[in-house]
Amino acid sequence: MIEKREFYIGGHWVAPAMPRDHFVIDPSTEEPCAIISLGDQADTDAAVAAALKAGPGWAATPPAERLACVERLLTLYQARAEEMARAISLEMGAPIDMALASQVEAGTWHITNFITAAKAFDWVHPLGDGTPGAMIAYEPVGVVGLITPWNWPMNQITLKVIPALLAGCTMVLKPSEEAPLSAISFAEMVHEAGVPPGVFNLVNGDGLGVGTQLSTHADVEMISFTGSTRAGRAISKAAAETLKRVCLELGGKGANLIFADADEKAVARGVRHCFQNSGQSCNAPTRMLVERAAYDRALEIASEVAAQTRVGSAHEAGRHIGPVVNEAQFEKIQSLIETGIKEGARLVAGGLGRPEGLNKGFYIRPTVFADCTPEMTIMNEEIFGPVLSIMPFDSEEEAVAIANATPYGLTNYVQSQDGPRRNRLARALRAGMVEMNGQSRGAGAPFGGVRASGRAREGGRWGIEEFCEVKSISGWEG
């Protein structure tokens, strides 16, 4: 049993004010694997006070020195990649090979892209030609509260901590209590990288406790949150009284538009993307809309891919998907699969219960529904499991209407060999991101959505700007 009961506050590991044990459950076995402490108001106050005290010094630190700290952190992060992968695999169930190649690598990717963006970032620059003495300065927001989820721990922690450091902010991180071990390892790396005491602080806790305390704290200037839309609404309300800046990256219900002229791997690629990380990705393409001429063949391929998708322990090497994170998620997904069946969707792969041979652990059968209709629950709710819903369409206009008929707007996908069509759809689809023909976002591109998916723009230059105040200066000399 791993014991990690201390918090990182003011550059030191300190015991919580009033210890409250929380068991971290290994989703592959349903057994406790670690014990952490959950913080209370006194711990949150201590962390915010440390961040507030360190704020002026870190804000005045030259950007080049802040960048050097991040570069040292990247070196340490890469050196401890295998340790980080083991922590992520244990706490949230990502298969160990995937944890190393995708989960940990996501952090490397973001840190590297932020370093590139910071080197080109013009912290003070002229407003423009014809405005002598008018300058624009980017300055840190101040103390920021960072609240991160369990599904991609290092992806989200690096998307928040790194730009906050580069911008000159000080911070308190509350990682998910479901996946705290990777965050604790990350805090050790921040310390070893030489980030000054109080600049980065970590307090474990739950959303109702530390999460709410950060959201309402008078000395916290900004909350950056990734998680459910429901929690995002609650945080926005809690933060309103103190007029905080609130940046939200929330849920999604991505549509994948597959036209008859799509490449031969498009359907299989979409199914695998939906099932990646056991379906626990906010940008998963969980609604597959297929042009009617290609519909029957798409169902055959999707069924085959689901049948070939192996499910197994996160501790086993290999290309398979692991369990979902906990019992609550398992039961929610089972309930939504049952709802899909009751509402008339045709089950062509998977279904209720655990995969054959797996009697313990939060394992879900890779599931595909056909003949879905837009009003079905499984076409509207974010399932957050390896469950794909497929329906046909007859025209480009119909496909766009179905894709946009959702309160979410994170990522949509297009598969077609027709370039002008892709360009039209990229503009017509209401989402913060559109990815086409399997091409991922470019290095440093912003990640974020619209509407119920939140409106954060994390990554690269945009991610740094989120942690900055923009100051207008007139009468600048020189």
Side-chain angles (χ1 to χ4, degrees), residues 191-230:
H191 179 83
E192 192 175 347
V195 174
V199 171
F200 171 89
N201 305 275
L202 180 148
V203 178
N204 283 311
D206 55 23
L208 291 176
V210 175
T212 299
Q213 292 155 19
L214 287 173
S215 300
T216 57
H217 204 292
D219 291 327
V220 174
E221 299 286 347
M222 170 182 167
I223 293 290
S224 179
F225 169 78
T226 298
S228 71
T229 298
R230 175 194 54 78

Side-chain angles (χ1 to χ4, degrees), residues 64-148:
E65 292 184 24
R66 300 198 298 255
L67 175 60
C69 276
V70 171
E71 289 175 325
R72 292 194 296 272
L73 178 56
L74 174 60
T75 299
L76 292 165
Y77 182 85
Q78 291 174 309
R80 294 174 64 173
E82 291 189 4
E83 169 195 332
M84 182 65 76
R86 288 193 296 272
I88 292 172
S89 182
L90 179 65
E91 67 192 0
M92 59 74 58
I96 186 63
D97 289 351
M98 182 266 187
L100 183 61
S102 297
Q103 290 273 3
V104 175
E105 180 57 29
T108 299
W109 170 255
H110 293 311
I111 299 172
T112 301
N113 291 335
F114 279 127
I115 289 171
T116 300
K119 288 178 178 177
F121 202 96
D122 205 352
W123 297 95
V124 181
H125 62 83
L127 173 62
D129 295 337
T131 57
M135 303 293 287
I136 298 296
Y138 289 92
E139 298 184 348
V141 168
V143 177
V144 297
L146 312 177
I147 303 174
T148 57

Side-chain angles (χ1 to χ4, degrees), residues 238-311:
E241 187 65 29
T242 50
L243 299 176
K244 291 179 180 17
R245 178 184 295 182
V246 179
C247 292
L248 303 174
E249 197 277 282
L250 307 175
K253 192 67 181 174
N256 187 5
L257 280 57
I258 299 181
F259 289 83
D261 68 344
D263 70 86
E264 62 181 11
K265 297 180 180 179
V267 173
R269 183 170 63 238
V271 178
R272 293 190 185 100
H273 192 172
C274 176
F275 293 167
Q276 184 191 29
N277 202 37
S278 300
Q280 300 172 121
S281 300
C282 53
N283 63 339
T286 55
R287 294 182 296 152
M288 182 177 285
L289 314 181
V290 184
E291 192 169 10
R292 196 171 297 276
Y295 184 67
D296 289 341
R297 178 57 182 150
L299 296 183
E300 293 176 5
I301 295 170
S303 178
E304 291 169 1
V305 172
Q308 294 165 3
T309 301
R310 192 170 73 85
V311 183

